[in-house]
PDB file of all heavy atoms in Angstrom:
ATOM      1  N   TYR A 155      -1.631   6.551  23.509  1.00 97.00           N
ATOM      2  CA  TYR A 155      -1.630   7.644  24.471  1.00 97.00           C
ATOM      3  C   TYR A 155      -1.282   8.962  23.779  1.00 97.00           C
ATOM      4  O   TYR A 155      -0.408   8.998  22.916  1.00 97.00           O
ATOM      5  CB  TYR A 155      -0.615   7.397  25.585  1.00 97.00           C
ATOM      6  CG  TYR A 155      -1.019   6.314  26.551  1.00 97.00           C
ATOM      7  CD1 TYR A 155      -0.389   5.071  26.529  1.00 97.00           C
ATOM      8  CD2 TYR A 155      -2.032   6.531  27.490  1.00 97.00           C
ATOM      9  CE1 TYR A 155      -0.755   4.068  27.419  1.00 97.00           C
ATOM     10  CE2 TYR A 155      -2.402   5.532  28.376  1.00 97.00           C
ATOM     11  CZ  TYR A 155      -1.760   4.307  28.336  1.00 97.00           C
ATOM     12  OH  TYR A 155      -2.134   3.319  29.205  1.00 97.00           O
ATOM     13  N   VAL A 156      -1.963  10.005  24.179  1.00 97.00           N
ATOM     14  CA  VAL A 156      -1.625  11.346  23.717  1.00 97.00           C
ATOM     15  C   VAL A 156      -1.413  12.228  24.938  1.00 97.00           C
ATOM     16  O   VAL A 156      -2.020  12.021  25.995  1.00 97.00           O
ATOM     17  CB  VAL A 156      -2.720  11.953  22.811  1.00 97.00           C
ATOM     18  CG1 VAL A 156      -2.872  11.137  21.537  1.00 97.00           C
ATOM     19  CG2 VAL A 156      -4.052  12.082  23.542  1.00 97.00           C
ATOM     20  N   LEU A 157      -0.537  13.191  24.771  1.00 97.00           N
ATOM     21  CA  LEU A 157      -0.249  14.162  25.817  1.00 97.00           C
ATOM     22  C   LEU A 157      -1.126  15.390  25.593  1.00 97.00           C
ATOM     23  O   LEU A 157      -1.065  16.019  24.534  1.00 97.00           O
ATOM     24  CB  LEU A 157       1.234  14.540  25.771  1.00 97.00           C
ATOM     25  CG  LEU A 157       1.718  15.643  26.701  1.00 97.00           C
ATOM     26  CD1 LEU A 157       1.447  15.291  28.155  1.00 97.00           C
ATOM     27  CD2 LEU A 157       3.201  15.904  26.482  1.00 97.00           C
ATOM     28  N   VAL A 158      -1.947  15.704  26.580  1.00 97.00           N
ATOM     29  CA  VAL A 158      -2.863  16.841  26.466  1.00 97.00           C
ATOM     30  C   VAL A 158      -2.098  18.126  26.738  1.00 97.00           C
ATOM     31  O   VAL A 158      -1.517  18.307  27.814  1.00 97.00           O
ATOM     32  CB  VAL A 158      -4.048  16.701  27.437  1.00 97.00           C
ATOM     33  CG1 VAL A 158      -4.984  17.909  27.306  1.00 97.00           C
ATOM     34  CG2 VAL A 158      -4.803  15.403  27.175  1.00 97.00           C
ATOM     35  N   LEU A 159      -2.110  19.034  25.763  1.00 97.00           N
ATOM     36  CA  LEU A 159      -1.394  20.304  25.891  1.00 97.00           C
ATOM     37  C   LEU A 159      -2.314  21.447  26.299  1.00 97.00           C
ATOM     38  O   LEU A 159      -1.895  22.392  26.967  1.00 97.00           O
ATOM     39  CB  LEU A 159      -0.700  20.656  24.574  1.00 97.00           C
ATOM     40  CG  LEU A 159       0.331  19.653  24.046  1.00 97.00           C
ATOM     41  CD1 LEU A 159       0.882  20.115  22.703  1.00 97.00           C
ATOM     42  CD2 LEU A 159       1.459  19.472  25.052  1.00 97.00           C
ATOM     43  N   SER A 160      -3.569  21.366  25.860  1.00 95.00           N
ATOM     44  CA  SER A 160      -4.533  22.429  26.148  1.00 95.00           C
ATOM     45  C   SER A 160      -5.931  21.854  25.960  1.00 95.00           C
ATOM     46  O   SER A 160      -6.160  21.069  25.032  1.00 95.00           O
ATOM     47  CB  SER A 160      -4.311  23.623  25.203  1.00 95.00           C
ATOM     48  OG  SER A 160      -5.314  24.596  25.365  1.00 95.00           O
ATOM     49  N   GLU A 161      -6.866  22.253  26.824  1.00 92.00           N
ATOM     50  CA  GLU A 161      -8.224  21.730  26.665  1.00 92.00           C
ATOM     51  C   GLU A 161      -9.240  22.641  27.345  1.00 92.00           C
ATOM     52  O   GLU A 161      -8.974  23.266  28.366  1.00 92.00           O
ATOM     53  CB  GLU A 161      -8.338  20.311  27.223  1.00 92.00           C
ATOM     54  CG  GLU A 161      -8.067  20.174  28.704  1.00 92.00           C
ATOM     55  CD  GLU A 161      -8.200  18.740  29.190  1.00 92.00           C
ATOM     56  OE1 GLU A 161      -8.943  17.964  28.559  1.00 92.00           O
ATOM     57  OE2 GLU A 161      -7.551  18.395  30.194  1.00 92.00           O
ATOM     58  N   ASN A 162     -10.403  22.726  26.707  1.00 89.00           N
ATOM     59  CA  ASN A 162     -11.592  23.319  27.312  1.00 89.00           C
ATOM     60  C   ASN A 162     -12.800  22.726  26.591  1.00 89.00           C
ATOM     61  O   ASN A 162     -12.674  21.785  25.815  1.00 89.00           O
ATOM     62  CB  ASN A 162     -11.558  24.847  27.268  1.00 89.00           C
ATOM     63  CG  ASN A 162     -11.767  25.403  25.869  1.00 89.00           C
ATOM     64  OD1 ASN A 162     -11.884  24.675  24.877  1.00 89.00           O
ATOM     65  ND2 ASN A 162     -11.816  26.717  25.778  1.00 89.00           N
ATOM     66  N   GLU A 163     -13.966  23.260  26.831  1.00 87.00           N
ATOM     67  CA  GLU A 163     -15.180  22.671  26.252  1.00 87.00           C
ATOM     68  C   GLU A 163     -15.225  22.819  24.732  1.00 87.00           C
ATOM     69  O   GLU A 163     -15.846  22.006  24.043  1.00 87.00           O
ATOM     70  CB  GLU A 163     -16.417  23.317  26.866  1.00 87.00           C
ATOM     71  CG  GLU A 163     -16.587  23.015  28.357  1.00 87.00           C
ATOM     72  CD  GLU A 163     -17.827  23.651  28.928  1.00 87.00           C
ATOM     73  OE1 GLU A 163     -18.526  24.379  28.167  1.00 87.00           O
ATOM     74  OE2 GLU A 163     -18.116  23.431  30.114  1.00 87.00           O
ATOM     75  N   LYS A 164     -14.564  23.832  24.194  1.00 90.00           N
ATOM     76  CA  LYS A 164     -14.657  24.091  22.762  1.00 90.00           C
ATOM     77  C   LYS A 164     -13.648  23.287  21.953  1.00 90.00           C
ATOM     78  O   LYS A 164     -13.967  22.754  20.888  1.00 90.00           O
ATOM     79  CB  LYS A 164     -14.458  25.591  22.496  1.00 90.00           C
ATOM     80  CG  LYS A 164     -14.613  25.990  21.028  1.00 90.00           C
ATOM     81  CD  LYS A 164     -14.516  27.500  20.863  1.00 90.00           C
ATOM     82  CE  LYS A 164     -14.710  27.911  19.407  1.00 90.00           C
ATOM     83  NZ  LYS A 164     -14.642  29.372  19.205  1.00 90.00           N
ATOM     84  N   ILE A 165     -12.428  23.195  22.450  1.00 95.00           N
ATOM     85  CA  ILE A 165     -11.364  22.563  21.680  1.00 95.00           C
ATOM     86  C   ILE A 165     -10.263  22.080  22.622  1.00 95.00           C
ATOM     87  O   ILE A 165     -10.026  22.675  23.679  1.00 95.00           O
ATOM     88  CB  ILE A 165     -10.764  23.551  20.647  1.00 95.00           C
ATOM     89  CG1 ILE A 165      -9.701  22.870  19.775  1.00 95.00           C
ATOM     90  CG2 ILE A 165     -10.225  24.791  21.320  1.00 95.00           C
ATOM     91  CD1 ILE A 165      -9.176  23.770  18.655  1.00 95.00           C
ATOM     92  N   SER A 166      -9.615  21.009  22.243  1.00 96.00           N
ATOM     93  CA  SER A 166      -8.446  20.546  22.981  1.00 96.00           C
ATOM     94  C   SER A 166      -7.315  20.269  21.998  1.00 96.00           C
ATOM     95  O   SER A 166      -7.545  19.995  20.815  1.00 96.00           O
ATOM     96  CB  SER A 166      -8.757  19.293  23.804  1.00 96.00           C
ATOM     97  OG  SER A 166      -9.152  18.223  22.966  1.00 96.00           O
ATOM     98  N   LEU A 167      -6.101  20.354  22.493  1.00 97.00           N
ATOM     99  CA  LEU A 167      -4.902  20.129  21.686  1.00 97.00           C
ATOM    100  C   LEU A 167      -4.072  19.043  22.359  1.00 97.00           C
ATOM    101  O   LEU A 167      -3.865  19.073  23.577  1.00 97.00           O
ATOM    102  CB  LEU A 167      -4.086  21.423  21.579  1.00 97.00           C
ATOM    103  CG  LEU A 167      -2.679  21.321  20.969  1.00 97.00           C
ATOM    104  CD1 LEU A 167      -2.764  21.007  19.484  1.00 97.00           C
ATOM    105  CD2 LEU A 167      -1.900  22.615  21.199  1.00 97.00           C
ATOM    106  N   CYS A 168      -3.613  18.100  21.586  1.00 98.00           N
ATOM    107  CA  CYS A 168      -2.803  17.031  22.148  1.00 98.00           C
ATOM    108  C   CYS A 168      -1.746  16.599  21.139  1.00 98.00           C
ATOM    109  O   CYS A 168      -1.814  16.946  19.955  1.00 98.00           O
ATOM    110  CB  CYS A 168      -3.664  15.835  22.566  1.00 98.00           C
ATOM    111  SG  CYS A 168      -4.650  15.139  21.213  1.00 98.00           S
ATOM    112  N   LYS A 169      -0.763  15.832  21.616  1.00 97.00           N
ATOM    113  CA  LYS A 169       0.253  15.321  20.704  1.00 97.00           C
ATOM    114  C   LYS A 169       0.581  13.873  21.043  1.00 97.00           C
ATOM    115  O   LYS A 169       0.526  13.459  22.198  1.00 97.00           O
ATOM    116  CB  LYS A 169       1.518  16.174  20.731  1.00 97.00           C
ATOM    117  CG  LYS A 169       2.354  16.090  21.992  1.00 97.00           C
ATOM    118  CD  LYS A 169       3.644  16.897  21.827  1.00 97.00           C
ATOM    119  CE  LYS A 169       4.494  16.899  23.088  1.00 97.00           C
ATOM    120  NZ  LYS A 169       5.755  17.662  22.908  1.00 97.00           N
TER     121      LYS A 169
END
Side-chain angles (χ1 to χ4, degrees):
Y155 288 107
V156 296
L157 174 59
V158 180
L159 301 177
S160 174
E161 62 180 334
N162 72 357
E163 294 181 357
K164 183 175 182 179
I165 183 175
S166 61
L167 170 69
C168 58
K169 70 175 177 179

